mmCIF file of all heavy atoms in Angstrom:
data_model
loop_
_atom_site.group_PDB
_atom_site.id
_atom_site.type_symbol
_atom_site.label_atom_id
_atom_site.label_comp_id
_atom_site.label_asym_id
_atom_site.label_seq_id
_atom_site.Cartn_x
_atom_site.Cartn_y
_atom_site.Cartn_z
ATOM 1 N N TYR A 68 -128.755 -59.847 -146.063
ATOM 2 C CA TYR A 68 -127.860 -58.784 -145.550
ATOM 3 C C TYR A 68 -127.510 -59.060 -144.119
ATOM 4 O O TYR A 68 -128.395 -59.225 -143.282
ATOM 5 C CB TYR A 68 -128.551 -57.430 -145.719
ATOM 6 C CG TYR A 68 -127.687 -56.285 -145.334
ATOM 7 C CD1 TYR A 68 -126.704 -55.809 -146.189
ATOM 8 C CD2 TYR A 68 -127.794 -55.679 -144.070
ATOM 9 C CE1 TYR A 68 -125.875 -54.750 -145.849
ATOM 10 C CE2 TYR A 68 -126.965 -54.616 -143.708
ATOM 11 C CZ TYR A 68 -125.997 -54.166 -144.581
ATOM 12 O OH TYR A 68 -125.214 -53.153 -144.229
ATOM 13 N N PRO A 69 -126.221 -59.074 -143.763
ATOM 14 C CA PRO A 69 -125.827 -59.375 -142.375
ATOM 15 C C PRO A 69 -125.996 -58.148 -141.481
ATOM 16 O O PRO A 69 -125.741 -57.023 -141.869
ATOM 17 C CB PRO A 69 -124.348 -59.764 -142.484
ATOM 18 C CG PRO A 69 -123.871 -59.039 -143.711
ATOM 19 C CD PRO A 69 -125.061 -58.966 -144.634
ATOM 20 N N HIS A 70 -126.457 -58.393 -140.255
ATOM 21 C CA HIS A 70 -126.629 -57.353 -139.258
ATOM 22 C C HIS A 70 -125.770 -57.704 -138.035
ATOM 23 O O HIS A 70 -125.807 -58.833 -137.542
ATOM 24 C CB HIS A 70 -128.105 -57.255 -138.791
ATOM 25 C CG HIS A 70 -128.989 -56.807 -139.918
ATOM 26 N ND1 HIS A 70 -129.207 -55.469 -140.217
ATOM 27 C CD2 HIS A 70 -129.725 -57.515 -140.785
ATOM 28 C CE1 HIS A 70 -130.022 -55.398 -141.227
ATOM 29 N NE2 HIS A 70 -130.355 -56.616 -141.610
ATOM 30 N N LYS A 71 -124.969 -56.720 -137.585
ATOM 31 C CA LYS A 71 -124.099 -56.917 -136.444
ATOM 32 C C LYS A 71 -124.780 -56.436 -135.197
ATOM 33 O O LYS A 71 -125.281 -55.308 -135.147
ATOM 34 C CB LYS A 71 -122.791 -56.102 -136.657
ATOM 35 C CG LYS A 71 -121.754 -56.310 -135.603
ATOM 36 C CD LYS A 71 -120.506 -55.500 -135.984
ATOM 37 C CE LYS A 71 -119.414 -55.689 -134.989
ATOM 38 N NZ LYS A 71 -118.193 -54.949 -135.403
ATOM 39 N N ARG A 72 -124.804 -57.280 -134.197
ATOM 40 C CA ARG A 72 -125.406 -56.953 -132.902
ATOM 41 C C ARG A 72 -124.405 -57.320 -131.790
ATOM 42 O O ARG A 72 -123.439 -58.027 -132.024
ATOM 43 C CB ARG A 72 -126.714 -57.726 -132.667
ATOM 44 C CG ARG A 72 -127.761 -57.534 -133.770
ATOM 45 C CD ARG A 72 -128.388 -56.167 -133.679
ATOM 46 N NE ARG A 72 -129.507 -55.995 -134.562
ATOM 47 C CZ ARG A 72 -129.452 -55.393 -135.728
ATOM 48 N NH1 ARG A 72 -128.314 -54.898 -136.157
ATOM 49 N NH2 ARG A 72 -130.536 -55.260 -136.464
ATOM 50 N N PHE A 73 -124.687 -56.832 -130.585
ATOM 51 C CA PHE A 73 -123.830 -57.107 -129.443
ATOM 52 C C PHE A 73 -124.705 -57.685 -128.332
ATOM 53 O O PHE A 73 -125.743 -57.132 -127.997
ATOM 54 C CB PHE A 73 -123.154 -55.833 -128.958
ATOM 55 C CG PHE A 73 -122.287 -55.184 -130.016
ATOM 56 C CD1 PHE A 73 -122.747 -54.135 -130.730
ATOM 57 C CD2 PHE A 73 -121.003 -55.675 -130.234
ATOM 58 C CE1 PHE A 73 -121.955 -53.545 -131.712
ATOM 59 C CE2 PHE A 73 -120.181 -55.088 -131.227
ATOM 60 C CZ PHE A 73 -120.701 -54.039 -131.961
ATOM 61 N N CYS A 93 -120.706 -48.076 -128.059
ATOM 62 C CA CYS A 93 -120.400 -48.929 -129.216
ATOM 63 C C CYS A 93 -118.893 -49.160 -129.266
ATOM 64 O O CYS A 93 -118.119 -48.222 -129.190
ATOM 65 C CB CYS A 93 -120.884 -48.269 -130.501
ATOM 66 S SG CYS A 93 -120.413 -49.194 -131.998
ATOM 67 N N SER A 95 -117.203 -49.751 -131.850
ATOM 68 C CA SER A 95 -116.660 -49.195 -133.102
ATOM 69 C C SER A 95 -116.605 -47.691 -133.112
ATOM 70 O O SER A 95 -115.598 -47.103 -133.478
ATOM 71 C CB SER A 95 -117.482 -49.681 -134.284
ATOM 72 O OG SER A 95 -117.464 -51.068 -134.356
ATOM 73 N N CYS A 96 -117.712 -47.001 -132.696
ATOM 74 C CA CYS A 96 -117.780 -45.568 -132.882
ATOM 75 C C CYS A 96 -117.936 -44.782 -131.579
ATOM 76 O O CYS A 96 -117.840 -43.570 -131.584
ATOM 77 C CB CYS A 96 -118.923 -45.210 -133.830
ATOM 78 S SG CYS A 96 -120.560 -45.386 -133.129
ATOM 79 N N ASN A 98 -120.735 -44.331 -129.872
ATOM 80 C CA ASN A 98 -122.103 -43.934 -129.707
ATOM 81 C C ASN A 98 -122.753 -44.895 -128.697
ATOM 82 O O ASN A 98 -122.298 -46.020 -128.556
ATOM 83 C CB ASN A 98 -122.819 -43.947 -131.059
ATOM 84 C CG ASN A 98 -124.140 -43.221 -131.060
ATOM 85 O OD1 ASN A 98 -124.210 -42.090 -130.585
ATOM 86 N ND2 ASN A 98 -125.140 -43.846 -131.609
ATOM 87 N N LEU A 100 -125.217 -47.701 -127.522
ATOM 88 C CA LEU A 100 -125.975 -48.784 -128.148
ATOM 89 C C LEU A 100 -127.422 -48.708 -127.735
ATOM 90 O O LEU A 100 -127.736 -48.215 -126.659
ATOM 91 C CB LEU A 100 -125.368 -50.140 -127.704
ATOM 92 C CG LEU A 100 -123.930 -50.409 -128.123
ATOM 93 C CD1 LEU A 100 -123.451 -51.732 -127.556
ATOM 94 C CD2 LEU A 100 -123.764 -50.419 -129.648
ATOM 95 N N VAL A 103 -132.176 -53.966 -128.523
ATOM 96 C CA VAL A 103 -133.128 -54.436 -129.531
ATOM 97 C C VAL A 103 -133.638 -55.835 -129.266
ATOM 98 O O VAL A 103 -134.460 -56.359 -130.005
ATOM 99 C CB VAL A 103 -132.516 -54.374 -130.948
ATOM 100 C CG1 VAL A 103 -132.245 -52.941 -131.355
ATOM 101 C CG2 VAL A 103 -131.268 -55.199 -131.051
ATOM 102 N N LYS A 116 -127.776 -52.950 -130.639
ATOM 103 C CA LYS A 116 -127.194 -52.522 -131.918
ATOM 104 C C LYS A 116 -126.814 -51.066 -131.817
ATOM 105 O O LYS A 116 -127.299 -50.333 -130.953
ATOM 106 C CB LYS A 116 -128.195 -52.758 -133.070
ATOM 107 C CG LYS A 116 -129.296 -51.707 -133.126
ATOM 108 C CD LYS A 116 -130.078 -51.885 -134.415
ATOM 109 C CE LYS A 116 -131.037 -50.695 -134.576
ATOM 110 N NZ LYS A 116 -131.673 -50.734 -135.896
ATOM 111 N N CYS A 117 -125.945 -50.634 -132.702
ATOM 112 C CA CYS A 117 -125.513 -49.237 -132.739
ATOM 113 C C CYS A 117 -126.395 -48.515 -133.746
ATOM 114 O O CYS A 117 -126.430 -48.901 -134.928
ATOM 115 C CB CYS A 117 -124.033 -49.123 -133.134
ATOM 116 S SG CYS A 117 -123.514 -47.396 -133.204
ATOM 117 N N PRO A 118 -127.093 -47.456 -133.323
ATOM 118 C CA PRO A 118 -127.915 -46.708 -134.283
ATOM 119 C C PRO A 118 -127.054 -45.948 -135.330
ATOM 120 O O PRO A 118 -127.564 -45.662 -136.390
ATOM 121 C CB PRO A 118 -128.676 -45.707 -133.421
ATOM 122 C CG PRO A 118 -128.315 -45.958 -132.033
ATOM 123 C CD PRO A 118 -127.240 -46.986 -131.954
ATOM 124 N N ARG A 119 -125.804 -45.683 -135.017
ATOM 125 C CA ARG A 119 -124.939 -44.972 -135.972
ATOM 126 C C ARG A 119 -124.260 -45.973 -136.926
ATOM 127 O O ARG A 119 -124.319 -45.778 -138.157
ATOM 128 C CB ARG A 119 -123.874 -44.196 -135.248
ATOM 129 C CG ARG A 119 -123.017 -43.379 -136.180
ATOM 130 C CD ARG A 119 -121.943 -42.610 -135.483
ATOM 131 N NE ARG A 119 -122.545 -41.577 -134.621
ATOM 132 C CZ ARG A 119 -121.893 -40.975 -133.643
ATOM 133 N NH1 ARG A 119 -120.624 -41.276 -133.392
ATOM 134 N NH2 ARG A 119 -122.479 -40.062 -132.929
ATOM 135 N N CYS A 120 -123.630 -47.018 -136.417
ATOM 136 C CA CYS A 120 -122.882 -47.978 -137.273
ATOM 137 C C CYS A 120 -123.826 -48.921 -138.030
ATOM 138 O O CYS A 120 -123.542 -49.326 -139.152
ATOM 139 C CB CYS A 120 -121.960 -48.839 -136.447
ATOM 140 S SG CYS A 120 -120.632 -47.945 -135.631
ATOM 141 N N GLY A 121 -124.903 -49.354 -137.374
ATOM 142 C CA GLY A 121 -125.726 -50.391 -137.923
ATOM 143 C C GLY A 121 -127.052 -49.904 -138.420
ATOM 144 O O GLY A 121 -128.089 -50.473 -138.075
ATOM 145 N N ARG A 122 -127.065 -48.894 -139.196
ATOM 146 C CA ARG A 122 -128.327 -48.364 -139.710
ATOM 147 C C ARG A 122 -128.935 -49.390 -140.649
ATOM 148 O O ARG A 122 -128.384 -49.728 -141.659
ATOM 149 C CB ARG A 122 -128.112 -47.051 -140.479
ATOM 150 C CG ARG A 122 -127.696 -45.965 -139.544
ATOM 151 C CD ARG A 122 -127.716 -44.635 -140.249
ATOM 152 N NE ARG A 122 -127.402 -43.587 -139.269
ATOM 153 C CZ ARG A 122 -126.424 -42.707 -139.405
ATOM 154 N NH1 ARG A 122 -125.693 -42.710 -140.488
ATOM 155 N NH2 ARG A 122 -126.217 -41.796 -138.501
ATOM 156 N N ASP A 123 -130.090 -49.897 -140.233
ATOM 157 C CA ASP A 123 -130.789 -50.870 -141.103
ATOM 158 C C ASP A 123 -132.256 -50.694 -141.006
ATOM 159 O O ASP A 123 -132.778 -49.923 -140.352
ATOM 160 C CB ASP A 123 -130.415 -52.309 -140.744
ATOM 161 C CG ASP A 123 -130.266 -52.594 -139.261
ATOM 162 O OD1 ASP A 123 -131.285 -52.781 -138.622
ATOM 163 O OD2 ASP A 123 -129.117 -52.625 -138.808
#
Side-chain angles (χ1 to χ4, degrees):
Y68 184 79
H70 295 275
K71 184 178 183 178
R72 303 288 188 260
F73 301 98
C93 175
S95 301
C96 73
N98 196 48
L100 298 176
V103 295
K116 76 171 190 172
C117 179
R119 183 181 294 164
C120 295
R122 293 190 176 126
D123 38 81

